[in-house]
Each structure stands twice: as C-alpha cells, then as structure tokens.
Amino acid sequence: MDAGLRLGPLLRYVEWPDADGTPRHPAATVWIEADGPRTAEVRCADGAGGRARTFAIAGHHYAVVPVTGLTPGATTAYEVLLDGRPVWPPPDSPFPPSTLTTPDDPRGPLRVTFGSCRWAAAGAEGRRPAGPDALGALAARLAADPAAERPDVLLLLGDQVYADKPSEATRRWLAGRRDLAEPPGAQVADYEEYTRLYYESWLDPGVRWLLSTVPSMMIFDDHDVIDDWNTSAAWLSRMRAAPWWRERLLSGLMAYWVHQHLGNLSPAELAADPLYARVRAAPDGTAALRRFAAEADADPARVRWSYRRDLGRTRLVMVDTRAGRVLDEQKRAMLGEEDARWVGQQVLEGRAGRDHLLIGSSLPWLLPPLVHDAERWNAALCRGDRGERWARVGESLRRRSDLEHWAAFPESFAWLTGLLADAAEGPDAPATVSVLSGDVHHAYVAEPDLPTASRVLQLTCSPVHQRIPYALRLGFRFGWSRAGRWLGRALARHGRVGAAGTGWTRTGGPWFGNQLMTLTLHGRTALLRLERARGERELVKVHERAWGREPAVERASGVGSG
C-alpha cells in the first residue's frame, strides 16, 4: 500500500444533467482510505476540487471527498492530496492519469457496464485460480488506449468480497491473527479482517486505476456477508445461535457501509445523512456505526440499503435483495413493506421524463425455468403445504441448492412482475425496462410474455471472476432445456403451486466464463454487448444486440455457446 494513501481513490458518484436538460452545476465524490487522521483533497486540472477531513472507524481513516466546480461535458485529470502532499497518482504509475468526466447530454449515450461475483484471489506469480479477471481485462484495455470508449458507470451487483471464501494468501494472514481451528475458522471474523478483503480486491493495480477513473455503484449479495445470507427463518435462527455470528454480521454491515454504501450517495444525500454526520463529528465513529449495524440486524425495516440514481433520461433503482427480507414462512417477502413501497414509488414516478428504466437486483428476476419452478415448489414445501415431513425436506434442499431467488418468494415475484408491467405500459412508458442481475454464474437474456409498450428485459451477467464447475454449467444448460421445463412443471404439480403467472423466453445465452455486459443507451435505443475475458488483458465480444430504432439481432432459438 502507498504511504499515506492506503486504499483508493475510488471515483463513486458523478452527477448527470436533469432529464429535461436543465443546466446544473455537476458534482462528484471520491472515496479514499488514509493511513491516519488527514485532510483529504481532490484537485482537478481544470480548477475544480474539494476537501474533507477523514473519519475514524476501528483504527482506519476514511474520507468521501465532494468535488465541485466541475464543467458540464468536460473531462479533467485529478490528483489526491493528504495534508497538502500529493499521494495519487503514484509518481511511477504505468497507468494514464485518473480523470473525471461530467456528462452534459441527458439523452446519452450512457454506457452501463455490469457484473457480479468477483473473487480477488491470486496465486503464485499472480496467476488467478479462477481464470482471467474480466474487470482486470477491462482495466488493461482502457489503460492501453485512453481514447477508447469507456463505461460511464460500473455497476457491481454483489459479492464484491468473499467473506466466507478467502484466498489462500488471506487464510495465511488470518492464521497469523488467531487459531483457525476455532469458529469461524478460515473465514473473516471481524471488521479488521474485512478490511483485508477490500485491500486484496481493490489494490490490484489495474483494478485500482479503473475504479479511480470510472464511476461505480455497488450493492451487496450473500458472500459479502456469508453464503445463503438470510435464506430462511430457520437458517437465521441457526446462525444466531453460533457465538461468532453476531460479530461477523455487524462487521460485515459496518464494512459495507464504509466501503460501498457511502459512495452510492450523492453529496446532498451524504450531507443529510444523520449517521454520516455522527460518525464524522466523533473522534472515533466506531461505536455509532456499530449501534447502527445492530439496529439494522434487530429490525431490518429501520434501514434502507436500496437507492436511486438518475442518469439523465435513464433512471436506475438499485434494490437490496438480502438485508431487508421478511423470513416468516407464511409472509415471506424479498423486501419489507416500507422498502417495497419506496421501490415502487421510484420506479413509477416521473416516467414521462425517462427513456430507459434500469432495476439493479443482485438476484435475477427471471431464472432458467427449471430453477424457477424448483424454487416455487420448494417455497410451498417449506410453507407446509405438503405437510411437516416435506417441510423439513424442503428446508434442507433450500440451503443445499441455493433456492432463494425472487421465485422463492412467490408473492414478491408477482409484485415485481406487476410493477415492471405497470412501468412498461402506456404512452409515457420508457423504451426499455431492464432488470440487471448477476449471482448465477452464467449470462443470459430473457424476455417476459408481457403485452407492454416497453421492451422488458432480464439481463444477467455473472461472474466477473470466479470458478464455474463443469457440473454447474451442465445444470444451468439443462435448466433452460425442454426437458428441464418438463421437470420444473412436474415439481410445480407436486407442490400444488399451479402454472407460473408469467412466461418468458430466453433470447440469448447461456454464456459461461468470466464476463461483463455493457448496455449503451442513446435516446430511445439500447445496445447490449457481452464480453468475455480471454487472458489477463483482453475482452472478446461474445454477443451483441440492439433494441429500438436500430435493427435487432435475431433471437436465439437454441442453447447458446459457452
């Protein structure tokens, strides 16, 4: 790590012009971790800039620097200073200068690159046990050609770190701190150990530069805390009985708030956030943040991790599908009532000024049909519809098979389907309504059978960097097949859940490998590109398709190549 600058800079929030083109004074935020109490400053080549004093959490010092005075439609290089001393970029950096770009056309083009599941492990001589890192390959491409087309925003849709599956290097580091024979063993146990995961993930030289120059938005998924986080009430009861679980959960929420959540907020939202104010005002904000995490654990309805960003005439609503779940088997819901009400308002309000609507959900809404029906069947069993014995079988299957997506919360699936249909209907509907997801370790495009004015799309891209066992590939291929559909219908009949209310067609994929999707939105057109990492420095186009006024690539009719 650099002297003075321990982590970052990460370019997080960058403001877009209003949907109606009303001029604004754009702002941005830059996140850093310093080596001690410092005044952090961002100084742009065009005279814009900002500064902020660090705040302290568990012996670490962070700052979110608001940057003002930016010129709309301009790109400027920037540097980071701590107590007046330049610390970024490093003097011997092989990368181009970090830059900050402020858009000036609300109709775009807007390029959104997204994916999930990035395991940062590196082996001997930097080799990666999970193959090439797609995020690292993107960094290499952009660094090699600073004039190349680059994303306007990077959406990281969960599993930014793997708290339950550290790399070999991190396991050795953990063994130097405590006895790994004691629970939780070779998994992270506290806040300090979480910081190690972020160092490992974000100090990769190429990825560090990429995150300094491409704005990013983030949301957690299960591995940011633990595999199958909040799968069921029985799962949660068992975890709460483990003596190490409380510290793990509170540390995970605290680390997420510091490293990911703060950067999702605009400068105005940060200024209005009471917890952020308390943490910054205290000599040490650890106690205040820990109380907040404990309150979020005790009553998830008190905290909203979902958020909204308006990117010109495109609205993005990022949905928390993990922390706010209702787990009562008779009332299971992906979101609590208040969070669902808030999401619905953000999706439907102001539709007349939107060309595109994006829903960020770490978990896909539309799954391979076999998986969808298996989850509906499993939910019925666990609810007790087939008796107590089948309920026990269902709970075991749920945990062993990760049956916990939207389909495993049938009322929430129906709610989301209805919400998307409402958003996509009428003369003022956006051109496209897209659910952007990851989690399932393959990529695909699916389209529901909804008679709507908008094109409604499920766009799933995963993983960015993770192992994909051959058996898993076969399983997902089967899940999309005709035989898989037949088996799914048989499970649905056994569970007495009836036919799915909405059908859908896979119109692209499945594709396997470490990959990223980019959705380019321009006016009322949309262009999707899927790229796969080939080696550490190359991304290869696998699929491209357009919607809108441009001719669309013909729909895939069979199983895609992988």
Side-chain angles (χ1 to χ4, degrees):
M1 289 174 282
D2 300 323
L5 186 66
R6 300 194 70 184
L7 192 58
L10 275 75
L11 177 59
R12 296 301 312 272
Y13 179 90
V14 171
E15 194 160 27
W16 275 68
D18 285 340
D20 62 4
T22 302
R24 303 185 69 167
H25 300 290
T29 63
V30 175
W31 182 100
I32 64 104
E33 181 187 350
D35 64 349
R38 308 284 184 202
T39 296
E41 181 181 1
V42 173
R43 188 178 296 171
C44 300
D46 66 356
R51 61 176 60 197
R53 190 67 182 170
T54 58
F55 59 90
I57 300 292
H60 294 258
H61 302 268
Y62 308 96
V64 183
V65 182
V67 182
T68 58
L70 294 161
T71 302
T75 296
T76 179
Y78 73 88
E79 61 178 345
V80 177
L81 301 88
L82 293 176
D83 291 342
R85 181 171 59 88
V87 294
W88 183 269
D92 57 349
S93 173
F95 297 97
S98 299
T99 58
L100 198 162
T101 298
T102 51
D104 64 348
D105 185 352
R107 292 185 178 273
L110 165 66
R111 300 178 186 90
V112 180
T113 295
F114 63 96
S116 78
C117 307
R118 180 173 176 264
W119 191 44
E125 300 178 355
R127 294 176 181 172
R128 297 186 180 277
D133 180 358
L135 208 59
L138 174 62
R141 181 169 73 187
L142 297 181
D145 182 6
E149 182 181 282
R150 65 174 56 191
D152 293 293
V153 64
L154 184 64
L155 261 58
L156 300 176
L157 294 167
D159 296 346
Q160 273 65 265
V161 294
Y162 278 72
D164 53 351
K165 191 181 179 183
S167 68
E168 181 59 39
T170 294
R171 288 196 293 270
R172 290 195 298 268
W173 181 83
L174 294 175
R177 296 190 80 227
R178 55 182 172 83
D179 183 1
L180 299 190
E182 298 294 326
Q187 301 184 23
V188 301
D190 58 25
Y191 186 88
E192 183 64 29
E193 294 178 5
Y194 262 102
T195 66
R196 166 77 186 196
L197 298 182
Y198 283 101
Y199 293 151
E200 184 175 51
S201 183
W202 290 353
L203 286 178
D204 175 282
V207 170
R208 187 181 193 183
W209 172 79
L210 178 71
L211 293 175
S212 77
T213 201
V214 175
S216 55
M217 289 184 266
M218 307 179 189
I219 195 70
F220 45 42
D221 199 18
D222 55 344
H223 291 285
D224 290 273
V225 175
I226 194 169
D227 189 24
D228 299 337
W229 179 28
N230 281 345
T231 289
S232 67
W235 179 93
L236 184 59
S237 177
R238 181 175 64 86
M239 296 305 298
R240 283 178 170 170
W244 54 271
W245 169 245
R246 180 173 171 80
E247 185 61 39
R248 166 70 157 275
L249 178 64
L250 298 190
S251 295
L253 293 176
M254 292 168 65
Y256 174 79
W257 186 87
V258 169
H259 293 82
Q260 300 190 50
H261 176 71
L262 288 179
N264 294 329
L265 306 180
S266 69
E269 288 169 327
L270 285 169
D273 189 305
L275 174 61
Y276 185 56
R278 289 196 300 273
V279 165
R280 294 183 69 202
D284 186 321
T286 308
L289 182 54
R290 189 175 178 86
R291 282 195 300 272
F292 167 83
E295 291 169 358
D297 176 38
D299 183 8
R302 299 182 63 175
V303 178
R304 176 168 51 78
W305 300 107
S306 302
Y307 60 95
R308 187 194 95 195
R309 290 281 296 276
D310 288 337
L311 308 170
R313 292 181 63 85
T314 295
R315 172 164 291 181
L316 168 71
V317 181
M318 190 75 86
V319 180
D320 161 29
T321 61
R322 282 290 170 187
R325 293 179 173 187
V326 177
L327 299 178
D328 183 328
E329 291 296 343
Q330 305 305 316
K331 303 176 183 178
R332 273 175 69 85
M334 188 68 82
L335 307 175
E337 290 185 10
E338 183 59 34
D339 207 11
R341 186 179 304 112
W342 182 89
V343 169
Q345 290 174 346
Q346 309 313 308
V347 166
L348 296 178
E349 288 179 357
R351 290 194 309 157
R354 307 296 161 195
D355 289 329
H356 302 277
L357 171 65
L358 308 178
I359 309 296
S361 168
S362 64
L363 303 178
W365 161 52
L366 302 179
L367 288 163
L370 170 58
V371 181
H372 178 88
D373 282 334
E375 295 199 357
R376 293 196 304 136
W377 165 73
N378 181 262
L381 298 188
C382 294
R383 195 169 53 236
D385 291 8
R386 293 303 304 259
E388 185 176 338
R389 181 174 67 87
W390 276 109
R392 290 194 298 269
V393 171
E395 179 63 28
S396 177
L397 285 174
R398 173 190 276 165
R399 297 186 203 175
R400 288 190 285 114
S401 303
D402 292 339
L403 303 178
E404 46 150 354
H405 299 82
W406 284 93
F409 297 78
E411 291 188 5
S412 294
F413 177 85
W415 167 81
L416 180 59
T417 301
L419 178 63
L420 297 176
D422 289 345
E425 192 51 83
D428 60 349
T432 64
V433 175
S434 302
V435 179
L436 312 183
S437 306
D439 180 68
V440 291
H441 289 200
H442 70 300
Y444 59 90
V445 179
E447 300 187 45
D449 303 328
L450 294 174
T452 54
S454 307
R455 200 68 175 260
V456 181
L457 305 164
Q458 169 68 68
L459 306 176
T460 303
C461 183
S462 170
V464 173
H465 181 239
Q466 184 52 277
R467 294 189 183 99
I468 306 136
Y470 183 67
L472 189 61
R473 298 188 185 208
L474 291 178
F476 280 125
R477 287 187 186 279
F478 181 72
W480 286 109
S481 70
R482 184 174 300 175
R485 290 175 184 271
W486 179 89
L487 179 57
R489 288 194 293 269
L491 291 174
R493 285 194 297 272
H494 178 265
R496 300 169 182 166
V497 296
T502 300
W504 56 94
T505 303
R506 174 180 51 83
T507 58
W511 299 287
F512 298 93
N514 292 329
Q515 50 205 350
L516 289 166
M517 275 184 176
T518 297
L519 188 61
T520 300
L521 306 172
H522 197 181
R524 292 181 69 81
T525 68
L527 175 68
L528 177 71
R529 178 181 297 129
L530 173 71
E531 296 177 293
R532 181 184 302 147
R534 185 169 67 186
E536 294 293 336
R537 305 185 63 83
E538 186 178 10
L539 286 172
V540 179
K541 184 172 69 174
V542 174
H543 178 75
E544 189 169 276
R545 179 170 184 168
W547 294 275
R549 287 191 297 270
E550 302 173 28
V553 176
E554 190 171 327
R555 289 192 175 201
S557 58
V559 175
S561 61

